[in-house]
């Protein structure tokens, strides 16, 4: 297994991901997507949007990031959206108490002290209140990783929502929050969408949008960031049918990742033992990152918690009225919630491969190849003239301009042809088109396929259809 640093370095070198405001030293927990990163991001979102909304029973929306502050009282975020935090007085560093303990357990396991690690794990799993974290940290003499001291404060809750103000006056009446999940924009629009979309349960509302969390510990590249994007869908169902729909959506979401080339051996399910305040069933799809398995998407059965709570806080009915069967109810909700940037990181890790291939001089060299699903690849086609003379660049450039109308394409004239193939392999371009001497004589080119490295010769007027068929 390669290291996360290898992926981060490729991502930076080839323009997938940069540190946010890098020239000022960066901003912790924030990242910028470069020219290739933004293409990959858009391709992931497009694949999700098509899978989730190009069907009869799901409508899309795009709600605003700033919402009425009562939204977050109703959803429970004002009171409950917090992490247990502990400060070290010597280093003035702040940690998530549960993470600090988990890291200590990991260290013990690396030293083969499994009995002690198991003991602490059992205590961690049965934590009920903040003082339990404090007791574990002090009893097991867990030290601050920065100062090595045990000069700890008590464990307190730290709300993860970013606060800001609307209008010119910064007082308590003007506080608003950057949304910590996109889901609430869907719940508050439940009635609007059901009525204008002429839908009735079972039906869903899907949304892709930014969310913000003031995470205490941001780490592992794009895995835990303070600004990120979510792809969420709430599926409104008749109470009592939620179990079946939960199973249905588990299968749909798992298969979506497979359909985009995620390796099944790198995915697994994780059942939630401890359920969030709103859920009666919950599972995560996990992916094996270089640092271990981590959640990429959650599928939650949220009961009628959110709609009921919004009904109570807003005074507006959140029911579905079935006039045919004389029935009325607040629907139950099955939620599918995936992170776009976390998903992008999983697709990057999933695609990365190194292999030994023969080089142009008959020796061997390492080929780095991003085996993205062809639909997701940030660049679909690259066009090269074999040599930079004899009319080849002119013809190659014309083919490139034609392909660019349909596919994200690149034109490359610099360096030996083998180097140009390697550059495209490293960003996962599925097709490389080369114009050579024969092209000028008979109007054919070679197309090289990324994974097999096989080349075929086809006529110029067939290139577009060949590539289109390959990415479908
Ligand atoms: N509406 C439910 C909800 O937000 P969640 O498990 O907190 O549930 C859903 O988040 C998904 O959002 C996660 O599976 C993950 O992919 C992504 N996500 C959550 N927090 C994140 C963070 N700090 N950085 C990047 N992605 C995050």
């Amino acid at each position: 297994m390669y290291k996360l640093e290898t992926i981060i370095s490729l991502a930076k070198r080839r323009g997938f991901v940069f540190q946010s405001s890098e020239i000022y030293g960066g901003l912790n927990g924030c990242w910028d997507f470069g020219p290739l990163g933004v293409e990959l991001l858009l391709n992931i979102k497009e694949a999700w949007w098509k899978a989730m909304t190009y069907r009869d029973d799901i409508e899309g929306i795009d709600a605003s990031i700033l919402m009425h502050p009562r939204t977050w009282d109703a959803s429970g975020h004002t009171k409950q959206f917090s992490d247990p935090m502990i400060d070290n007085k010597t280093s003035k560093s702040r940690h998530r108490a549960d993470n600090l303990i988990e890291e200590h357990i990991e260290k013990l396991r690396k030293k083969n002290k499994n009995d002690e690690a198991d003991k602490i794990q059992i205590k961690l799993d049965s934590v009920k209140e903040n003082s339990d974290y404090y007791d574990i940290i002090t009893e097991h003499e867990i030290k601050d990783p920065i100062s090595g001291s045990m000069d700890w404060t008590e464990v307190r809750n730290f709300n993860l929502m970013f606060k800001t103000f609307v209008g010119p006056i910064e007082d308590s009446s003007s506080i608003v929050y950057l949304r910590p999940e996109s889901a609430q924009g869907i719940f508050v629009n439940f009635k609007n969408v059901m009525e204008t979309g002429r839908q009735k349960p079972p039906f869903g509302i899907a949304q892709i949008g930014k969310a913000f969390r003031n995470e205490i510990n941001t780490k592992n590249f794009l895995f835990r960031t303070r600004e990120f994007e979510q792809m969420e869908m709430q599926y409104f169902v008749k109470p009592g049918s939620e179990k079946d729909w939960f199973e249905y959506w588990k299968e749909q979401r798992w298969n979506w990742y497979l359909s985009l080339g995620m390796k099944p051996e790198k995915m697994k399910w994780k059942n939630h033992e401890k359920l969030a305040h709103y859920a009666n069933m919950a599972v995560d799809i996990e992916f094996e990152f270089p640092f271990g398995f981590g959640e990429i998407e959650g599928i939650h059965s949220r009961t009628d918690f959110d709609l009921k709570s919004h009904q109570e806080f807003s005074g507006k009915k959140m029911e579905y009225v079935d006039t045919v069967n004389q029935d009325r109810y607040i629907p139950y909700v099955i939620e599918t919630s995936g992170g776009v940037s976390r998903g992008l990181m999983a697709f990057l890790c999933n695609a990365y491969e190194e292999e030994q291939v023969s080089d142009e001089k008959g020796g061997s060299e390492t080929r780095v190849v991003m085996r993205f699903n062809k639909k997701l690849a940030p660049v679909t086609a690259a066009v090269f003239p074999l040599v930079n003379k004899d009319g080849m660049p002119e013809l190659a450039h014309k083919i490139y301009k034609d392909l660019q109308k349909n596919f994200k394409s690149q034109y490359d004239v610099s360096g030996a042809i083998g180097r140009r193939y390697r550059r495209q392999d490293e960003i996962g371009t599925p097709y490389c088109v080369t114009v050579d001497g024969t092209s000028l004589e008979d109007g054919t080119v070679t197309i090289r396929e990324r994974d097999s490295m096989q080349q075929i010769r086809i006529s110029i007027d067939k290139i577009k259809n060949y590539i289109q068929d390959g990415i479908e």
Side-chain angles (χ1 to χ4, degrees):
M1 167 85 82
Y2 48 85
K3 294 198 171 102
L4 183 59
E5 283 68 37
T6 310
I7 302 291
I8 299 175
S9 142
L10 184 143
K12 159 129 211 228
R13 194 172 65 247
R14 301 309 313 271
F16 283 91
V17 184
F18 307 124
Q19 220 184 345
S20 159
S21 24
E22 191 184 279
I23 58 167
Y24 293 104
L27 180 65
N28 209 349
C30 298
W31 298 88
D32 295 343
F33 292 94
L36 294 184
V38 71
E39 294 295 333
L40 181 54
L41 210 58
L42 285 171
N43 291 345
I44 294 170
K45 290 192 276 189
E46 190 188 351
W48 186 88
W49 193 254
K50 283 188 171 161
M52 299 300 274
T53 71
Y54 286 21
R55 41 187 284 164
D56 300 338
D57 57 346
I58 300 186
E59 307 283 349
I61 62 161
D62 186 1
S64 64
I65 287 169
L66 299 177
M67 300 179 69
H68 194 287
R70 290 288 279 162
T71 308
W72 308 109
D73 295 333
S75 67
H77 283 79
T78 331
K79 275 210 181 118
Q80 306 198 34
F81 194 58
S82 56
D83 278 341
M85 154 216 109
I86 189 163
D87 288 343
N88 186 274
K89 290 184 225 160
T90 311
S91 69
K92 309 246 177 318
S93 60
R94 176 166 287 180
H95 307 267
R96 252 176 76 167
D98 49 345
N99 285 357
L100 196 65
I101 299 168
E102 275 161 10
E103 279 158 21
H104 183 68
I105 293 172
E106 232 168 79
K107 271 191 214 150
L108 289 173
R109 295 212 188 280
K110 279 196 184 131
K111 291 183 192 157
N112 283 327
K113 295 185 175 173
N114 287 321
D115 288 350
E116 196 183 340
D118 289 346
K119 227 185 261 168
I120 304 176
Q121 187 68 57
I122 292 169
K123 284 188 193 169
L124 182 60
D125 291 342
S126 52
V127 161
K128 293 221 163 44
E129 46 197 51
N130 283 342
S131 59
D132 298 335
Y133 290 118
Y134 183 81
D135 291 345
I136 300 175
I137 290 168
T138 50
E139 255 171 54
H140 293 275
E141 300 187 349
I142 299 179
K143 297 191 178 89
D144 175 36
I146 297 163
S147 65
S149 96
M150 293 205 310
D151 197 7
W152 294 114
T153 61
E154 286 181 355
V155 175
R156 285 168 291 168
N157 279 338
F158 174 76
N159 195 295
L160 301 183
M161 285 198 291
F162 280 101
K163 250 186 220 168
T164 186
F165 302 92
V166 281
I169 297 164
E170 297 192 1
D171 65 14
S172 58
S173 66
S174 61
I175 290 179
V176 290
Y177 301 95
L178 301 189
R179 67 180 179 201
E181 61 170 11
S182 65
Q184 297 304 324
I186 292 180
F187 287 122
V188 299
N189 278 298
F190 158 69
K191 274 287 195 89
N192 285 340
V193 176
M194 182 167 66
E195 284 162 15
T196 56
R198 297 167 60 228
Q199 292 283 358
K200 55 184 186 186
F203 82 99
I205 306 177
Q207 170 167 230
I208 299 176
K210 289 247 174 165
F212 302 81
R213 297 181 189 177
N214 197 2
E215 301 280 3
I216 302 170
N217 290 341
T218 56
K219 57 176 187 177
N220 290 333
F221 193 32
L222 304 174
F223 188 78
R224 195 174 301 289
T225 54
R226 295 201 166 112
E227 175 176 342
F228 55 97
E229 222 171 352
Q230 292 185 311
M231 314 180 273
E232 296 202 295
M233 193 278 303
Q234 318 295 134
Y235 203 72
F236 301 92
V237 305
K238 191 169 179 171
S241 66
E242 71 272 16
K243 231 182 174 146
D244 291 342
W245 284 113
F246 183 66
E247 291 308 320
Y248 170 83
W249 281 110
K250 272 172 64 181
E251 194 186 335
Q252 294 292 311
R253 298 306 305 143
W254 180 270
N255 289 340
W256 183 77
Y257 287 100
L258 293 185
S259 75
L260 293 175
M262 209 66 113
K263 296 175 185 130
E265 66 276 16
K266 284 191 158 282
M267 284 164 57
K268 72 172 189 192
W269 289 109
K270 184 178 175 199
N271 281 317
H272 283 219
E273 304 299 337
K274 280 191 210 159
L275 290 170
H277 59 280
Y278 51 74
N280 69 356
M281 286 178 284
V283 288
D284 295 335
I285 298 176
E286 292 195 333
F287 175 80
E288 190 176 19
F289 292 99
F291 52 83
F293 275 96
E295 172 190 344
I296 49 173
E297 172 151 349
I299 295 117
H300 313 126
S301 171
R302 288 180 81 125
T303 67
D304 57 359
F305 172 85
D306 301 87
L307 288 182
K308 211 176 191 171
S309 193
H310 284 303
Q311 175 168 294
E312 197 184 304
F313 278 72
S314 68
K316 302 282 182 328
K317 285 266 182 245
M318 288 290 181
E319 290 174 336
Y320 164 66
V321 182
D322 179 349
T323 45
V324 178
N325 298 313
Q326 303 299 319
D327 196 7
R328 58 170 62 216
Y329 56 83
I330 295 180
Y332 270 38
V333 170
I334 305 299
E335 166 183 77
T336 70
S337 174
V340 184
S341 37
R342 200 183 278 185
L344 178 142
M345 180 178 162
F347 282 117
L348 279 177
C349 296
N350 185 66
Y352 185 90
E353 276 181 29
E354 287 177 16
E355 62 182 22
Q356 286 307 117
V357 291
S358 47
D359 65 15
E360 284 165 340
K361 292 176 195 132
S364 88
E365 64 172 343
T366 305
R367 172 170 99 121
V368 171
V369 53
M370 295 299 276
R371 292 194 199 275
F372 290 121
N373 174 278
K374 289 176 179 159
K375 250 190 237 140
L376 294 187
V379 175
T380 307
V383 186
F384 318 138
L386 181 64
V387 288
N388 227 350
K389 57 182 184 185
D390 301 335
M392 289 181 221
E394 290 76 9
L395 179 57
H397 196 260
K398 184 177 176 305
I399 293 172
Y400 158 66
K401 284 307 223 187
D402 277 349
L403 289 180
Q404 205 180 38
K405 292 178 194 148
N406 297 283
F407 313 106
K408 186 75 189 172
S409 309
Q410 286 190 352
Y411 178 66
D412 190 0
V413 293
S414 63
I417 195 81
R419 297 262 27 99
R420 284 181 258 170
Y421 283 143
R422 293 289 170 272
R423 276 202 288 272
Q424 296 299 330
D425 289 343
E426 209 188 30
I427 62 169
T429 307
Y431 297 107
C432 290
V433 177
T434 301
V435 169
D436 55 18
T438 313
S439 312
L440 299 163
E441 288 162 17
D442 67 1
T444 62
V445 292
T446 63
I447 298 194
R448 171 195 181 263
E449 197 270 336
R450 176 195 69 202
D451 296 335
S452 64
M453 295 191 286
Q454 296 292 314
Q455 296 188 23
I456 58 153
R457 189 165 267 284
I458 63 169
S459 72
I460 291 169
D461 58 0
K462 296 219 167 67
I463 304 174
K464 185 183 143 199
N465 284 349
Y466 180 83
I467 294 177
Q468 191 61 50
D469 290 348
I471 61 174
E472 263 163 16

